Amino acid sequence: MITCQELADLLVDFFADDATPQCRKVVQEHLAHCQGCGVFVQTYSVTIRLTRRMPAVPMRPQFAARLLQLLREAVQEQP
Amino acid sequence: MTPEQVVRDYAPRVYSIARRMLGNDADAEDVTQDVLLQVVRKLNTFRGEADFWTWLHRVTVNMALVHRQKRARRAEHEIPDPTQQFQDGHHVKPWAIEPEKQAINRELSGLLEQAIANMPEIYRDVYILADIEGLSNPEIGEILGLSVPAVKSRLHRGRLLIREALAPHFEEVKA
């Protein structure tokens, strides 16, 4: 069975969409026997899921208006 | 593609990446403006949607990096190693949270944004592209000029820093 540190080193691969069956297997085997890592991985997973739901940072309306005007001018200047 | 469509469809994403990488409105607006001017000049040269988004991410990140260098405010400081928290015996408390039910309200959003802003730049850039923008590790490596193992290492450290920032807000308190 892998050590706790080896598990930590595998977490990016484990949470990737293309995680290999072997990676999933060794991580899950470790988690089945290590309560501390289980809690840690659960909080790590929550962190990823919350971040993925973050909204975009809004632009200031004045900037959006200025940007639109600038792009219109750029389009008009094109040959 | 009209200027209105460019502002509506692309500006929010470009601005958001630049704002998170650079940490302030003025620099993010400069980068957004420069990137979108390139968009309107080159829009007809792309072969497809995927090709375009890859290019857009690359140009946005490159311009943000150039902007950051121009600022020359890169403080020389020791970069923390968040993996230390795991080496210390990982005495981690469970979190009282169900992510699917947790609304990303203003408080949580502010907390996450602040944690990202506080992150060392070498971790922050990878973190934004991976966990917010959803790029693959090879794509990020190509954009930032890093090997895939380096991307993974930085992403892991970035996640640990965000996890550390969130922990005090979500850790279960035993009665």
Side-chain angles (χ1 to χ4, degrees), chain A residues 4 8 12-13 40 43-44 47 49 51-60 63 66 70 72 78, chain B residues 4 15-16 20 29 33 36 40-41 86 90 95 99-100 102 113 127 131 152 156 159-160 162-163:
Chain A
C4 296
V12 169
D13 287 327
F40 182 82
T43 62
Y44 190 94
T47 302
R49 281 185 281 171
T51 305
R52 286 185 178 158
R53 291 168 50 207
M54 282 176 75
V57 182
M59 291 187 293
R60 295 187 300 163
F63 170 64
R66 185 158 49 88
L70 190 78
R72 283 176 178 151
Q78 281 183 326
Chain B
E4 287 79 6
Y15 178 80
S16 210
R20 284 176 173 135
E29 289 173 359
Q33 181 177 306
L36 294 184
V40 296
R41 287 171 187 144
F86 205 86
H90 60 84
W95 288 4
E100 281 72 25
Q102 172 73 42
E113 294 289 358
Y127 188 78
D131 279 359
K152 288 180 182 178
H156 180 57
R159 285 174 175 170
L160 291 176
I162 299 293
R163 199 205 71 83

Side-chain angles (χ1 to χ4, degrees), chain B:
Chain B
M1 180 74 65
T2 64
E4 287 79 6
Q5 287 171 311
V6 171
V7 170
R8 184 195 65 210
D9 296 343
Y10 306 128
R13 195 151 174 189
V14 169
Y15 178 80
S16 210
I17 295 170
R19 179 67 179 75
R20 284 176 173 135
M21 283 183 69
L22 297 169
N24 71 80
D25 291 341
D27 287 345
E29 289 173 359
D30 285 348
V31 166
T32 304
Q33 181 177 306
D34 291 348
V35 170
L36 294 184
L37 278 171
Q38 285 208 33
V39 168
V40 296
R41 287 171 187 144
K42 294 191 173 179
L43 205 54
N44 295 331
T45 65
F46 297 101
R47 295 186 298 269
E49 185 81 357
D51 184 40
F52 175 72
W53 280 110
T54 303
W55 176 86
L56 191 64
H57 276 113
R58 183 178 299 121
V59 172
T60 302
V61 170
N62 286 342
M63 285 201 178
L65 292 175
V66 168
H67 222 80
R68 194 188 275 164
Q69 285 168 348
K70 278 186 195 165
R71 268 190 339 205
R73 269 195 251 137
R74 216 169 193 162
E76 292 289 333
H77 57 267
E78 193 179 331
I79 296 172
D81 181 3
T83 60
Q84 192 63 40
Q85 60 182 259
F86 205 86
Q87 291 158 8
D88 292 340
H90 60 84
H91 299 298
V92 181
K93 292 180 187 165
W95 288 4
I97 174 177
E98 292 180 66
E100 281 72 25
K101 292 181 183 169
Q102 172 73 42
I104 304 283
N105 56 26
R106 185 174 292 188
E107 186 192 3
L108 178 55
S109 184
L111 186 65
L112 283 164
E113 294 289 358
Q114 192 58 50
I116 291 167
N118 290 341
M119 198 185 281
E121 288 165 354
I122 66 163
Y123 304 150
R124 193 195 311 159
D125 297 342
V126 171
Y127 188 78
I128 291 167
L129 294 176
D131 279 359
I132 301 176
E133 293 301 313
L135 271 63
S136 70
N137 293 333
E139 284 175 319
I140 296 167
E142 194 185 327
I143 289 172
L144 293 175
L146 296 170
S147 66
V148 170
V151 170
K152 288 180 182 178
S153 170
R154 293 182 186 196
L155 175 57
H156 180 57
R157 284 167 166 76
R159 285 174 175 170
L160 291 176
L161 288 171
I162 299 293
R163 199 205 71 83
E164 202 176 350
L166 293 177
H169 300 266
F170 293 133
E171 281 175 351
E172 286 178 358
V173 180
K174 287 186 179 168

Side-chain angles (χ1 to χ4, degrees), chain A:
Chain A
M1 192 169 79
I2 59 172
T3 65
C4 296
Q5 188 55 53
E6 286 167 338
L7 172 122
D9 294 340
L10 280 175
L11 285 182
V12 169
D13 287 327
F14 181 69
F15 283 105
D17 292 336
D18 58 353
T20 64
Q22 174 65 12
C23 173
R24 290 181 199 275
K25 182 170 174 275
V26 295
V27 169
Q28 282 162 352
E29 275 175 3
H30 182 94
L31 294 179
H33 296 93
C34 182
Q35 193 178 4
C37 282
V39 173
F40 182 82
V41 170
Q42 190 264 342
T43 62
Y44 190 94
S45 166
V46 170
T47 302
I48 296 169
R49 281 185 281 171
L50 287 177
T51 305
R52 286 185 178 158
R53 291 168 50 207
M54 282 176 75
V57 182
M59 291 187 293
R60 295 187 300 163
Q62 310 93 296
F63 170 64
R66 185 158 49 88
L67 182 64
L68 181 58
Q69 183 58 34
L70 190 78
L71 295 182
R72 283 176 178 151
E73 289 168 9
V75 167
Q76 283 174 354
E77 285 168 11
Q78 281 183 326

